[in-house]
Amino acid sequence: MERPALPLGSPPTERADAVRNRKHLLATAREMLAEQCGADGLTMDGLAERAGLGKGTVFRRFGTRAGIFQALLEDDEHAFQEQVLAGPAPLGPGAAPLDRLIAYGRARVAFMIRHRDIARASLDGRQPIPAGTESPLSRTHIRMLLGQMRLDGADLEMLAIQLTAALDGPPLLYLSASDFTEPTGIEERIGQAWQDLLRRLCGT
Amino acid sequence: MERPALPLGSPPTERADAVRNRKHLLATAREMLAEQCGADGLTMDGLAERAGLGKGTVFRRFGTRAGIFQALLEDDEHAFQEQVLAGPAPLGPGAAPLDRLIAYGRARVAFMIRHRDIARASLDGRQPIPAGTESPLSRTHIRMLLGQMRLDGADLEMLAIQLTAALDGPPLLYLSASDFTEPTGIEERIGQAWQDLLRRLCGT
DNA sequence: ATGCTAAACGGACTTTACCCCGATTAATCT
DNA sequence: AGATTAATCGGGGTAAAGTCCGTTTAGCAT
């Protein structure tokens, strides 16, 4: 009756086998994705069997099919976030807030494009809570940088959400697969538009 | 071998019974949603049975479960769009582009909040093409208004996509259900943030 | 009207996500 | 170390999504 409710380890302590199994399942899932080239074809039964575990275990760990992809994405996001928090400027600390924000957007777009399949597969219209983790990291970071900029009298919380959506939305929802296969340099184009958007936001 | 490929009627002509059945299915779906208060609990079998049609027909018409919600949303969007195209200013024509854009955003946010359940249920991580119709109307309208504003040297196409995402994203992906049940006036808050965002974009 | 053809219909069939609960095992306390 | 407890594991079971193909029917041409 005295749970810290702090995000150190989800429950007070997570059992060792549980941790081991989760990692093993994620690794197996990556293998299957790499081999079968696509998120379809990754079934819960197939994953369980290949990992040598029971189906119940898979569902206990991830709750839902989309949950697996959310976990995969969260995992990669973690590595990405380290670059942002401790990497070289302008992405990492040391540059002016606006420059960091521009650099962050470009990096995030690249990340989203690279993980487009997983990110899309992590969407699940049945979960009432939107993806739970749908970029709280991104949103928090943007929020922090906005706080360091001189934006008088703006609702920074909401602005951060809107900018997060402006970053993730295009690759995730509004651009079709063909936009990325064509040799259009779509990544650079989104990045440039992001930069323009921010420049205007800050008054040139 | 000479299909216009124009969006007049999806295929050259759609058979009358097909049209009738689609409308009937959509109406039945709305009934079920209203009665059961929620998108869950709307099953393909249930819908087919209640509509007095075969399951194959349902899938032929909508392709997938999410397809039904996409169709419902598109339907409502159509009615909404008429208000935008022919309604009173500032939402309808007659006002300055910026004012119209601000008004449009507020209306769109209200629309998304009102249709939040359906919109979320229309998300499907398995369809490679993102929702096919995920707000081409919205995006097109925003694009048009941007074209009427003096925004020198911006990628208006991409900016329109980003702004569309900034509108739809928050209610759809980034705000949890509790944010809307709490008496926080979230709609007004998003609308205000949208207005601020645009004001800054245009240099006050 | 009548025949032709392509499209729509229907419902049985297969696959897959997700649930449940008895068996098992890791962590803790004495 | 050994017992206790609470969480995890396992895999069979259910229901719903999505597929297939033989049958029916609308639209068109003669």
Side-chain angles (χ1 to χ4, degrees):
Chain A
M1 200 60 87
E2 47 160 332
R3 310 187 48 182
L6 288 176
L8 281 172
S10 335
T13 61
E14 192 177 24
R15 255 169 63 165
D17 52 350
V19 174
R20 185 167 4 103
N21 282 338
R22 164 156 65 233
K23 287 184 180 172
H24 182 214
L25 283 169
L26 286 180
T28 305
R30 282 192 205 282
E31 286 176 24
M32 295 178 75
L33 287 180
E35 289 177 12
Q36 304 175 11
C37 298
D40 309 329
L42 176 59
T43 74
M44 302 302 257
D45 298 352
L47 175 59
E49 186 178 11
R50 172 149 179 172
L53 294 171
K55 204 185 338 182
T57 305
V58 179
F59 277 95
R60 168 172 289 272
R61 280 284 84 83
F62 302 108
T64 182
R65 191 186 120 95
I68 291 183
F69 296 99
Q70 291 167 20
L72 286 172
L73 200 60
E74 200 170 352
D75 201 34
D76 289 344
E77 244 177 359
H78 226 68
F80 169 61
Q81 195 72 1
E82 297 211 348
Q83 296 241 329
V84 174
L85 292 180
L91 187 57
L98 176 58
D99 292 331
R100 282 195 79 185
L101 198 48
I102 291 174
Y104 178 77
R106 287 183 178 275
R108 175 78 186 170
V109 165
F111 177 87
M112 284 300 285
I113 291 178
R114 210 164 46 238
H115 295 79
R116 187 165 181 277
D117 288 2
I118 291 180
R120 281 201 54 76
S122 79
L123 291 180
D124 181 7
R126 310 187 82 133
Q127 304 192 127
I129 299 130
T133 168
E134 194 58 86
S135 323
L137 287 171
S138 201
R139 170 172 156 182
T140 304
H141 186 64
I142 291 176
R143 172 64 181 84
M144 184 202 66
L145 291 177
L146 286 177
Q148 296 177 3
M149 297 162 65
R150 285 270 163 258
L151 292 176
D152 45 300
D155 184 345
L156 296 186
E157 219 65 63
M158 194 54 73
L159 180 57
I161 293 177
Q162 289 172 327
L163 290 180
T164 303
L167 273 182
D168 291 358
L172 194 62
L173 293 178
Y174 300 105
L175 295 175
S176 64
S178 61
D179 291 322
F180 296 97
T181 53
E182 286 172 11
T184 329
I186 191 77
E187 177 179 327
E188 167 59 24
R189 200 170 149 214
I190 303 178
Q192 186 62 46
W194 167 256
Q195 180 169 333
D196 289 355
L197 178 62
L198 288 181
R199 282 258 153 77
R200 286 179 200 276
L201 261 187
C202 301
T204 312
Chain B
M1 200 60 88
E2 49 159 331
R3 308 186 50 183
L6 289 175
L8 281 170
S10 335
T13 62
E14 193 177 24
R15 254 169 64 166
D17 52 350
V19 174
R20 187 170 0 105
N21 281 337
R22 163 155 67 233
K23 287 185 180 172
H24 182 214
L25 283 169
L26 287 180
T28 305
R30 283 194 205 281
E31 285 176 24
M32 295 178 74
L33 287 179
E35 288 176 15
Q36 303 174 12
C37 299
D40 310 329
L42 177 59
T43 75
M44 301 303 256
D45 298 281
L47 175 59
E49 185 177 12
R50 172 147 178 174
L53 295 170
K55 195 177 7 172
T57 304
V58 179
F59 276 94
R60 167 172 288 270
R61 280 286 83 84
F62 301 108
T64 181
R65 192 187 118 97
I68 291 183
F69 296 99
Q70 291 167 20
L72 286 172
L73 199 61
E74 199 170 353
D75 201 35
D76 289 343
E77 243 178 357
H78 227 69
F80 169 62
Q81 195 72 1
E82 296 212 348
Q83 295 241 329
V84 175
L85 293 181
L91 187 57
L98 176 58
D99 292 331
R100 282 195 78 186
L101 199 47
I102 291 173
Y104 178 78
R106 288 184 178 274
R108 175 78 187 170
V109 165
F111 177 87
M112 285 300 286
I113 291 178
R114 209 164 47 238
H115 295 79
R116 187 163 182 277
D117 288 3
I118 292 180
R120 282 202 53 76
S122 79
L123 292 180
D124 180 6
R126 311 187 80 133
Q127 304 193 129
I129 300 132
T133 170
E134 195 58 83
S135 324
L137 288 170
S138 201
R139 169 172 156 181
T140 303
H141 187 64
I142 291 176
R143 172 65 181 81
M144 184 201 66
L145 291 177
L146 286 177
Q148 295 178 3
M149 297 162 65
R150 286 269 163 260
L151 292 176
D152 46 300
D155 185 345
L156 296 186
E157 219 66 62
M158 195 54 72
L159 180 58
I161 293 177
Q162 289 172 326
L163 290 179
T164 303
L167 273 181
D168 291 357
L172 194 61
L173 293 178
Y174 301 105
L175 295 175
S176 64
S178 60
D179 291 320
F180 296 97
T181 53
E182 286 172 11
T184 330
I186 190 78
E187 177 179 327
E188 168 58 24
R189 198 167 151 216
I190 303 178
Q192 186 63 45
W194 168 256
Q195 180 169 333
D196 289 354
L197 178 62
L198 288 182
R199 282 257 154 77
R200 286 179 201 276
L201 260 186
C202 301
T204 313

